[in-house]
Amino acid sequence: MLTLLTHNSTAFIYKLKRIKRKLFGEAAYTRGHGAVTGGITDGLDRLGVEYNINVTRRSEIGDHVHVLSGFEALHFALELKRKGKIKRLTVGPNVAVSSADEGGIIASDLVDKMLVPSQWVLDAFVEDNPAVEGRIAIWCSGVNPDEWNLPKQLPAGHQRRCLLYLKYPQKKLAEQCKALLESVNIAYESIVYGSYTKDEMKAKLASVDFAIVFSATETQGIALFEMWASDTPTFVWNQGNYQYKLRNYAASSAPYLSGETGCFFRDMQELETLLTQHTDLSVFHPREWILANGTNEISARSFLNLISE
C-alpha cells in the first residue's frame, strides 16, 4: 500500500479544507502544493491504484510512504522509517526549496528517492547537497485535459487577442509589453497571479489566441500546462536565473516549453520579433503536447515508476 503525506498530517484537516472549498469556493486560484496533490491523486484514481493520503491511524500507513510536501510530514515519515515501521520512503517534489534547507534533512540516508519538478531544480539540488546525487529524479505533475478543453470563442477574422499573465514581473516590463501590444494592434487582457478564480482563467483563455507570460522562475509551471491544455500557445519571458538565500542559480521560467507549445523571449525586441513572425499560430500544437506528455494519468504512471526504482 502506498501512503501519501502532505503538509497536513491528519486526514481531518485535509478533508476540512476540501469541504471548505466546495462550500465557499476560492477567492483566488493558486497552484503549487495543492495542484500537485490534486493532480497525482486524480491520476492514481484513473489508474485504479490503491493508496491512501494523510491517514490518522498508524495501522493505516502503508509500507511505502511518499511525502509530497512539508517538513512536518517528512520528519514524521523519517521517524517511521527509523523505527522500521515502513519499508520505503520517497519524497518530493514540494518538500524543500533547496536540498540544504532544514539542515539538509531531505538528503537523509533514510530517504530512498526524491523527486524534483525539472532539470534546473535537479541541478540546484545536487549543487547544494551532493549527497542527493544518485537518488534524485525529475517528475512533473499533470493536468486534467478534459477540464481545460476550452473551445475558443473567437469570431472569424477577429483582431488578434492575447492573455497577459503576470506573476511577479517588474512593473516597468509589464508596461512596456502593454505598449508594444497596442503598437502592433493586438488586443489583450491582463490576469495577475493570485487574484483570479479558476473560472475566470478559463473564460480568458477561451477568448484569446495566445498568452504572454511573465514569471521570474518556475520549477515546473502548472499554469503553463493549463494554458497548453486549452490549446493556447505561450510566449514566455525568461530571465534565466534564480536567487535563493544569497546564492544564484541557472533557472528557467518555463522548464517544459518546447517548439510545440511556444517560445522564449528575453526583452521587448525579441517579443516584437515573435509577434511579427508568428501571425500564424497553427505551427504550435500545445494541447497535443499535453495529451502526449502532461495529463494526470501520464504523470501518475511516471510517478509510480520513479518511486519504485
Side-chain angles (χ1 to χ4, degrees):
M1 167 77 80
L2 173 65
T3 293
L4 303 177
L5 297 180
T6 69
H7 282 93
N8 305 307
S9 57
T10 69
F12 174 75
I13 296 175
Y14 180 73
K15 290 177 181 177
L16 187 64
K17 286 192 172 184
R18 294 183 65 179
I19 293 169
K20 183 180 177 181
R21 285 196 296 270
K22 287 182 179 181
L23 290 176
F24 303 107
E26 293 182 345
Y29 176 50
T30 56
R31 296 164 187 82
H33 309 319
V36 172
T37 301
I40 188 59
T41 53
D42 177 64
L44 293 174
D45 290 341
R46 290 170 183 265
L47 294 176
V49 173
E50 185 180 5
Y51 71 96
N52 55 32
I53 180 168
N54 293 335
V55 292
T56 55
R57 296 186 181 90
R58 295 288 179 95
S59 60
E60 296 175 327
I61 296 173
D63 57 3
H64 182 171
V65 167
H66 184 90
V67 179
L68 288 167
S69 59
F71 282 119
E72 176 190 348
L74 177 56
H75 279 290
F76 175 69
L78 285 170
E79 190 62 20
L80 291 176
K81 184 77 179 292
R82 190 173 291 112
K83 292 180 177 179
K85 301 294 185 181
I86 60 175
K87 295 179 180 178
R88 188 166 179 81
L89 172 58
T90 52
V91 304
N94 298 130
V95 175
V97 175
S98 163
S99 56
D101 287 345
E102 196 83 357
I105 190 174
I106 198 170
S108 166
D109 291 341
L110 296 171
V111 174
D112 297 293
K113 191 71 166 281
M114 66 194 68
L115 305 180
V116 292
S118 60
Q119 183 65 53
W120 80 260
V121 181
L122 185 149
D123 293 340
F125 266 51
V126 173
E127 179 183 337
D128 286 347
N129 196 333
V132 305
E133 197 161 13
R135 292 182 290 148
I136 189 169
I138 297 168
W139 173 74
C140 66
S141 182
V143 294
N144 180 347
D146 299 328
E147 182 178 12
W148 294 94
N149 186 14
L150 311 173
K152 296 291 185 180
Q153 307 296 320
L154 295 165
H158 66 283
Q159 177 188 11
R160 279 196 294 171
R161 295 180 59 82
C162 133
L163 175 64
L164 189 56
Y165 184 88
L166 305 172
K167 182 179 180 181
Y168 316 132
Q170 300 171 1
K171 184 176 180 180
K172 181 179 179 181
L173 200 60
E175 293 305 316
Q176 288 176 341
C177 181
K178 292 176 182 178
L180 173 59
L181 291 171
E182 291 169 1
S183 73
V184 294
N185 197 33
I186 295 177
Y188 67 87
E189 291 190 66
S190 297
I191 195 165
V192 178
Y193 176 81
S195 66
Y196 60 89
T197 65
K198 185 185 288 188
D199 286 342
E200 288 171 341
M201 178 70 158
K202 290 178 179 179
K204 289 183 183 294
L205 286 173
S207 65
V208 300
D209 299 285
F210 66 100
I212 296 175
V213 178
F214 286 93
S215 178
T217 57
E218 293 289 343
T219 55
Q220 174 182 332
I222 293 178
L224 289 165
F225 275 47
E226 293 168 347
M227 293 178 198
W228 300 338
S230 75
D231 214 24
T232 304
T234 56
F235 298 151
V236 182
W237 175 65
N238 189 39
Q239 67 176 2
N241 62 79
Y242 170 68
Q243 188 177 79
Y244 181 67
K245 294 184 177 179
L246 302 180
R247 295 193 63 178
N248 289 302
Y249 304 86
S252 175
S253 295
Y256 291 91
L257 188 74
S258 69
E260 292 287 294
T261 56
C263 302
F264 284 118
F265 67 92
R266 291 173 295 180
D267 52 38
M268 290 304 104
Q269 185 176 353
E270 288 190 0
L271 177 58
E272 185 173 8
T273 299
L274 288 177
L275 297 175
T276 302
Q277 290 179 344
H278 292 292
T279 54
D280 179 11
L281 297 172
S282 65
V283 297
F284 301 110
H285 308 284
R287 183 167 172 81
E288 290 182 17
W289 186 90
I290 285 292
L291 293 176
N293 301 279
T295 68
N296 285 337
E297 187 171 338
I298 290 172
S299 173
R301 189 175 289 112
S302 172
F303 173 82
L304 292 172
N305 289 337
L306 288 170
I307 65 173
S308 298
E309 291 175 350

